[in-house]
Amino acid sequence: MTAVKHHVTIKGVKDGLVFLLNDTCEFEEVVKELKHKLEKTHQQILTGPIIHVHVKLGTRNASDEEKEQIRSIIGQKGNLLIQSIESQTADPSASVFHNMPDVRLLKGIVRSGQTLTEEGNILFLGDINPGGTIVSTGSIYIMGSLKGMAHAGVDGDESVVIAASHLRPTQLRIAGIISRPPDEWGINEAFMEFAYIKEGKMEIDKIHHMHKLAAKQ
């Protein structure tokens, strides 16, 4: 007998309930099961004092309309008070590299005076030290500190990006465009940031906003 995979899991925590919504199925399936559990199988939680609810969407990037639909379904039960509806962004592998084709995994440290040159998209696990350089024809993702120089899209591709856990480079280049110095970015400590080209200029943004850029391409 095949086990039934639940699209909605309800867990009790110290300060209320957590609703875990499956992020691998259609949103309509989540809504259907959410309604069923609140109206049929979990009626016992809908009586008594106010219960605080935190909704976890996994890696699903729900629209404002979808979040409002969730709020409406849970909120119509008088004693359930929604505190948060959150998508997972803490894991870069889930939010940044999802659906990224042909990423080559590399590990190590690029020290001063060294240059690492590769083809295609790179996921580099390690640090690029001051004086070190990483160059690629594709995008460059660094799970570590970028304190040296990075040049993505070296063959002229302006659609690529440069991302790093700690982005404090001596210089960034995408295709033929060079970034302003990090001191001019207007941010003190650049953690989980990425660089991209917008209207011919290099911009810096938080990594969890990268899905918006991908949606436009």
Side-chain angles (χ1 to χ4, degrees), residues 80-122:
L80 299 185
L81 184 62
I82 294 180
Q83 298 295 297
S84 66
I85 298 180
E86 298 177 342
S87 293
Q88 174 185 336
T89 57
D91 181 1
S93 66
S95 59
V96 177
F97 310 114
H98 183 60
N99 289 334
M100 172 59 69
D102 303 322
V103 175
R104 184 176 181 188
L105 179 63
L106 301 172
K107 302 177 183 179
I109 297 175
V110 179
R111 295 180 171 85
S112 179
Q114 296 180 330
T115 299
L116 175 65
T117 303
E118 293 291 337
E119 297 287 325
N121 301 310
I122 301 172

Side-chain angles (χ1 to χ4, degrees), residues 112-178:
S112 179
Q114 296 180 330
T115 299
L116 175 65
T117 303
E118 293 291 337
E119 297 287 325
N121 301 310
I122 301 172
L123 174 55
F124 185 79
L125 305 184
D127 295 335
I128 311 298
N129 287 346
T133 302
I134 184 168
V135 178
S136 181
T137 58
S139 293
I140 299 172
Y141 305 96
I142 299 171
M143 299 298 290
S145 293
L146 171 55
K147 297 180 179 179
M149 185 268 205
H151 189 176
V154 69
D155 289 345
D157 186 356
E158 293 188 2
S159 69
V160 300
V161 303
I162 300 171
S165 299
H166 183 214
L167 189 66
R168 296 302 288 179
T170 52
Q171 188 181 89
L172 293 180
R173 293 187 184 183
I174 295 178
I177 298 173
I178 301 175

Side-chain angles (χ1 to χ4, degrees), residues 2-191:
T2 303
V4 177
K5 182 173 178 60
H6 294 288
H7 300 315
V8 178
T9 303
I10 301 175
K11 293 185 176 182
V13 294
K14 185 178 179 180
D15 61 343
L17 294 173
V18 173
F19 283 54
L20 303 172
L21 307 187
N22 188 348
D23 55 11
T24 62
C25 66
E26 293 293 329
F27 183 73
E28 290 74 16
E29 292 295 319
V30 172
V31 169
K32 181 180 178 181
E33 185 170 324
L34 183 59
K35 288 180 178 179
H36 178 77
K37 286 195 170 180
L38 291 178
E39 294 171 1
K40 304 291 184 183
T41 61
H42 286 63
Q43 289 179 309
Q44 71 274 14
I45 68 173
L46 305 178
T47 58
I50 293 293
I51 300 174
H52 290 174
V53 173
H54 297 273
V55 181
K56 303 291 186 181
L57 302 174
T59 58
R60 184 189 300 274
N61 290 315
S63 66
D64 290 341
E65 290 79 10
E66 288 172 337
K67 289 181 180 180
E68 188 56 39
Q69 195 171 353
I70 293 170
R71 287 184 183 277
S72 177
I73 294 169
I74 297 176
Q76 66 183 346
K77 308 304 177 183
N79 68 318
L80 299 185
L81 184 62
I82 294 180
Q83 298 295 297
S84 66
I85 298 180
E86 298 177 342
S87 293
Q88 174 185 336
T89 57
D91 181 1
S93 66
S95 59
V96 177
F97 310 114
H98 183 60
N99 289 334
M100 172 59 69
D102 303 322
V103 175
R104 184 176 181 188
L105 179 63
L106 301 172
K107 302 177 183 179
I109 297 175
V110 179
R111 295 180 171 85
S112 179
Q114 296 180 330
T115 299
L116 175 65
T117 303
E118 293 291 337
E119 297 287 325
N121 301 310
I122 301 172
L123 174 55
F124 185 79
L125 305 184
D127 295 335
I128 311 298
N129 287 346
T133 302
I134 184 168
V135 178
S136 181
T137 58
S139 293
I140 299 172
Y141 305 96
I142 299 171
M143 299 298 290
S145 293
L146 171 55
K147 297 180 179 179
M149 185 268 205
H151 189 176
V154 69
D155 289 345
D157 186 356
E158 293 188 2
S159 69
V160 300
V161 303
I162 300 171
S165 299
H166 183 214
L167 189 66
R168 296 302 288 179
T170 52
Q171 188 181 89
L172 293 180
R173 293 187 184 183
I174 295 178
I177 298 173
I178 301 175
S179 75
R180 296 168 295 156
D183 292 343
E184 297 180 10
W185 291 351
I187 46 180
N188 295 323
E189 286 294 332
F191 290 104

